[in-house]
Amino acid sequence: MRCSIFSLACLVTSAVASSPVTSNVSKVHEETRSLDEIHKAALAEGGVVTLWHGGDEANQQSSLKTAFEARFPGMTLNVTVDLSKYHDGNLDQQIADGNVQVDSIILQTLHDYPRWKEQGVLLNYAPANFGKVHGSFKDADAAYMGLLIFAWGLIANVNKTNTVLAEYPDFLKPEFKDKLVLTYPNDDDAVLYQFDLIIQQYGLSWFDALLAQNPRWVRGTETPATLIRSANSSSVATFTSGISLPLPAGNTLPTQGEFVSWPQTGAILKKAPHPEGAKLLHNFLLSTEHQTTQGWSVRDDLPAPAGLSKIWEQEGTNITGFGAWMSDRANVERRKYWYENKIGTAQGLSPLVDDL
Ligand SMILES: *[C@@H]1O[C@H](CO)[C@@H](O)[C@H](O)[C@H]1NC(C)=O
Ligand SMILES: *[C@@H]1O[C@H](CO)[C@@H](O)[C@H](O)[C@H]1NC(C)=O
Ligand SMILES: *[C@@H]1O[C@H](CO)[C@@H](O)[C@H](O)[C@H]1NC(C)=O
Ligand SMILES: *[C@@H]1O[C@H](CO)[C@@H](O)[C@H](O)[C@H]1NC(C)=O
Ligand SMILES: *[C@@H]1O[C@H](CO)[C@@H](O)[C@H](O)[C@H]1NC(C)=O
């Protein structure tokens, strides 16, 4: 066919011709090299992998850095933790500037990944064990996939209270007046979703009663857990911090109410400066040796944590709910301003630089 440069028909035809033949996972071959073989390739490439990980304390991924560097001598995991909602815009800037410095990006902003895939900036790469990752967590073309599970839970310090927290209405008990510490829902979308789920179930009267408890509002989701642990702080309980497994005393998961959980999702950039390093990291993250140290696994073939179910069968949570909710940005924005109107804008320094 002869095409004039201005012909719409030609543009459409060539766009179709250059798009992937089909979205079919069987077309992306799973990595067959061993971790040691990829390690050698990553060392030959320079021995560095630059990771941007979503989070709200600078040291939140230091155990991953330690484990990775111990497992793969000579490698440096150059990890930067920042709020996912800031990392994504900074990556967009690198993409726009044609200056991608990031190898791997692992975030809570699940809505970014289909967009980046559409832009053609993600590497279609299936690490070993990709086939075992739960179906709802992975892109059919292996452009992105869930790598670990995050979840909020009910957390109280047993040295500060005897009251057992089992469900969200328990936070309204008189003994928790002035003793709750909560992350601003208008500062973190996964906290926002948690508040929305609770209000859907228990109504606005629950939220009004919560405000009457005079909670302390903070930035960052690790900050409540830190304050609750501190003997110096009067804060006793929260439902906006990550839960750790096995559940420590005083930590519970609701069964009537719904707690937020999601697959923290990762991708390798097509223009990654260190593609072999990035592949090594993603193979390690999905490996049995690593997944079995992480509480809930993203993999179908590994057992559930003791006393719990696999996350997609766990009562009290819907692991795919958050991703679906995050994709409606107009709704997220409306809900954010609804809370901001009730409790004010998030106050304080970034949780990455404050001392809490
Ligand atoms: C995926 O590819 C396989 C083998 O080429 C084919 O049999 C199957 O029908 C395809 N599935 C989809 C959903 O395209
Ligand atoms: C480490 O990551 C930072 C932040 O992304 C980047 O500026 C720096 O160049 C990276 N260092 C190396 C050695 O790649
Ligand atoms: C409670 O106190 C004990 C004994 O001092 C201590 O070992 C434990 O870590 C404390 N628990 C919490 C949640 O602070
Ligand atoms: C608690 O307060 C004391 C006295 O102000 C201080 O020395 C100590 O470091 C504080 N402990 C914590 C865990 O913040
Ligand atoms: C979980 O959430 C997804 C996405 O919103 C929804 O399609 C699905 O029906 C939910 N599952 C249950 C059991 O409610």
Side-chain angles (χ1 to χ4, degrees):
M1 170 159 66
R2 286 196 41 180
C3 296
S4 136
I5 210 167
F6 300 109
S7 155
L8 183 60
C10 282
L11 287 178
V12 170
T13 307
S14 56
V16 168
S18 66
S19 68
V21 181
T22 172
S23 284
N24 190 326
V25 71
S26 63
K27 300 231 159 35
V28 182
H29 295 293
E30 208 168 280
E31 179 62 76
T32 53
R33 291 176 298 170
S34 68
L35 286 172
D36 290 342
E37 287 168 322
I38 310 170
H39 181 196
K40 284 201 185 76
L43 286 174
E45 177 190 74
V48 175
V49 47
T50 294
L51 165 64
W52 282 7
H53 205 294
D56 44 28
E57 294 294 345
N59 65 359
Q60 246 164 6
Q61 293 303 322
S62 54
S63 62
L64 174 62
K65 179 176 168 67
T66 304
F68 182 80
E69 292 176 356
R71 176 68 177 78
F72 304 108
M75 291 299 301
T76 299
L77 181 58
N78 178 27
V79 56
T80 304
V81 174
D82 200 350
L83 303 177
S84 294
K85 65 181 183 180
Y86 297 159
H87 265 329
D88 64 356
N90 288 332
L91 179 61
D92 284 334
Q93 187 67 53
Q94 292 192 353
I95 292 166
D97 293 346
N99 179 33
V100 171
Q101 298 294 320
V102 182
D103 297 308
S104 162
I105 187 151
I106 303 179
L107 303 178
Q108 148 184 315
T109 47
L110 304 187
H111 56 284
D112 282 320
Y113 291 92
R115 177 174 65 87
W116 283 328
K117 179 187 177 187
E118 187 85 359
Q119 288 175 5
V121 298
L122 303 181
L123 186 70
N124 297 98
Y125 174 72
N129 298 306
F130 178 75
K132 294 172 186 147
V133 174
H134 188 64
S136 67
F137 302 165
K138 60 188 176 190
D139 172 53
D141 298 313
Y144 53 88
M145 63 213 69
L147 295 170
L148 67 160
I149 302 296
F150 278 172
W152 307 143
L154 314 189
I155 300 176
N157 184 334
V158 289
N159 296 341
K160 295 179 179 177
T161 180
N162 294 321
T163 303
V164 175
L165 288 167
E167 298 291 342
Y168 298 107
D170 293 333
F171 289 88
L172 308 180
K173 291 181 173 171
E175 56 266 41
F176 291 128
K177 179 95 201 296
D178 303 322
K179 304 276 176 60
L180 301 178
V181 55
L182 299 168
T183 309
Y184 286 99
N186 40 324
D187 202 26
D188 183 306
D189 288 349
V191 173
L192 182 64
Y193 184 48
Q194 182 66 73
F195 273 84
D196 270 14
L197 289 176
I198 303 171
I199 292 174
Q200 268 166 33
Q201 180 165 9
Y202 294 108
L204 273 181
S205 59
W206 175 89
F207 185 65
D208 290 338
L210 182 78
L211 294 185
Q213 293 286 58
N214 189 33
R216 175 173 176 183
W217 297 102
V218 297
R219 298 193 65 194
T221 61
E222 198 174 312
T223 304
T226 304
L227 288 170
I228 289 165
R229 248 192 332 268
S230 163
N232 287 357
S233 160
S234 58
S235 297
V236 171
T238 192
F239 55 85
T240 67
S241 284
I243 198 87
S244 39
L245 299 179
L247 293 170
N251 289 226
T252 47
L253 294 166
T255 56
Q256 313 290 309
E258 200 176 328
F259 66 94
V260 170
S261 63
W262 71 94
Q264 185 88 347
T265 295
I268 297 174
L269 278 299
K270 204 174 262 175
K271 298 214 167 129
H274 314 103
E276 295 300 333
K279 288 176 183 177
L280 181 62
L281 176 65
H282 284 224
N283 279 274
F284 176 66
L285 290 171
L286 285 185
S287 68
T288 303
E289 66 186 75
H290 183 71
Q291 286 283 314
T292 49
T293 65
Q294 298 297 301
W296 281 296
S297 175
V298 297
R299 279 171 49 182
D300 275 322
D301 61 320
L302 297 176
L308 297 170
S309 305
K310 293 184 182 186
I311 191 65
W312 49 91
E313 290 161 359
Q314 175 66 43
E315 72 176 333
T317 196
N318 179 347
I319 188 69
T320 58
F322 180 62
W325 181 86
M326 282 292 268
S327 65
D328 183 352
R329 301 314 295 164
N331 178 61
V332 172
E333 182 178 86
R334 279 193 298 274
R335 297 306 300 154
K336 192 170 146 177
Y337 292 128
W338 188 88
Y339 290 98
E340 186 175 296
N341 181 238
K342 311 278 186 231
I343 64 175
T345 55
Q347 299 295 306
L349 294 172
S350 156
L352 287 129
V353 300
D354 68 8
D355 57 359
L356 290 174

